[in-house]
Amino acid sequence: RDKRTRCSIWCRTPEAAWIVDTGPDFRSQCLRENIRKLDAALYTHAHMDHVTGFDELRRFTVEQDHYMPIHATASCLASLERMFDYAFNGENRYRGYLKPWPMPIHGPFKIGETDITPLPVHHGKLETIGYLFSRSGKKLCAYISDCKSVPAETFALMQGVDTLIIDALRFSPHPTHMSIDESLAFVDTLKARETFFTHFQCEIMHARDEPKMPPHVRFAYDGLRLAWD
């Protein structure tokens, strides 16, 4: 069976842990990877393949019965509040129920000792962002799951990043996602130390297609783990 990649990334540091997006198989991902702690959830945009597992966040608020910080743009939060009204409307505050704490993103913010910078990108008509994760001034990772193009202002924020994780949907062009060739062109311009393609269709086969990529470009897969000093 060939490897696949989903629309989420889990980040853990000594002082905090958070998830970026909660796709439809979020629960099974947490069970498989033994994820037992989350301090916050970040969202890139409100398409269903990125938010369907939202209610599964309740597991991480049971023991301490606390609120879960939800970081997203104002437009994304508005969509989440509409889709999951029962969680946001203030009426269900019993133990075991998900109690989200909306945290609108207006610029860079911190979780623990990690600096997080929103990265606005173009993805059809929906407001969408990626995230840049930095520690002690070092740009460790830029994560952009859904993207057709990157504005110049966002590109400038990403320059000097160590690891890039970026959308590369398929070989043929698509109106709202980067194709493999478009992603490769972006990689060549940004010049990160290493790049992982994500959010690709099932026509992409790791064993067949990864050897065709430059040495510093790989296809991501479920369970991939990256570490930085």
Side-chain angles (χ1 to χ4, degrees):
R1 187 174 65 88
D2 200 25
K3 300 172 183 176
R4 296 292 176 228
T5 181
R6 303 302 184 193
C7 306
S8 62
I9 177 173
W10 180 56
C11 304
R12 182 179 64 184
T13 65
E15 69 281 350
W18 62 94
I19 190 78
V20 181
D21 291 337
T22 51
D25 58 350
F26 175 56
R27 178 177 179 275
S28 62
Q29 290 176 342
C30 291
L31 291 171
R32 185 192 65 223
E33 300 302 323
N34 196 32
I35 296 174
R36 296 179 176 271
K37 173 182 170 62
L38 280 180
D39 298 293
L42 286 59
Y43 285 90
T44 59
H45 62 299
H47 279 162
M48 291 300 287
D49 56 333
H50 293 257
V51 305
T52 311
F54 179 82
D55 190 69
E56 301 298 343
L57 290 169
R58 69 167 62 193
R59 176 61 187 87
F60 301 101
T61 66
V62 171
E63 293 180 2
Q64 299 175 349
D65 203 31
H66 67 271
Y67 285 72
M68 174 65 70
I70 307 295
H71 299 267
T73 62
S75 63
C76 182
L77 283 172
S79 294
L80 289 172
E81 290 173 9
R82 184 177 65 254
M83 288 187 281
F84 304 100
D85 173 72
Y86 65 89
F88 287 92
N89 62 21
E91 298 178 4
N92 297 309
R93 290 295 176 258
Y94 307 105
R95 178 175 172 81
Y97 282 63
L98 173 59
K99 294 174 281 296
W101 180 14
M103 304 284 287
I105 293 175
H106 301 295
F109 59 100
K110 292 177 74 77
I111 296 181
E113 297 301 316
T114 302
D115 296 299
I116 302 175
T117 304
L119 301 173
V121 294
H122 298 143
H123 173 49
K125 297 180 180 180
L126 190 70
E127 181 183 25
T128 307
I129 58 174
Y131 291 99
L132 173 67
F133 302 106
S134 307
R135 290 176 69 89
S136 302
K138 298 179 180 179
K139 299 179 180 180
L140 301 179
C141 180
Y143 177 71
I144 301 175
S145 64
D146 289 46
C147 174
K148 179 60 178 178
S149 62
V150 177
E153 297 83 358
T154 298
F155 179 84
L157 293 171
M158 300 168 63
Q159 285 190 301
V161 71
D162 180 87
T163 301
L164 171 66
I165 304 173
I166 194 165
D167 185 10
L169 184 69
R170 64 191 190 191
F171 287 103
S172 57
H174 189 276
T176 64
H177 289 269
M178 282 187 176
S179 67
I180 297 293
D181 285 344
E182 288 170 331
S183 297
L184 285 172
F186 183 79
V187 167
D188 189 56
T189 303
L190 184 64
K191 300 187 185 304
R193 180 182 64 84
E194 63 178 352
T195 295
F196 291 89
F197 286 163
T198 190
H199 208 298
F200 41 83
Q201 290 186 343
C202 58
E203 68 182 51
I204 302 297
M205 305 295 286
H206 282 76
R208 182 193 67 197
D209 297 322
E210 190 169 88
K212 303 174 185 176
M213 299 296 109
H216 59 289
V217 176
R218 298 173 58 192
F219 288 103
Y221 55 87
D222 283 355
L224 173 65
R225 299 189 180 195
L226 304 175
W228 296 271
D229 295 329

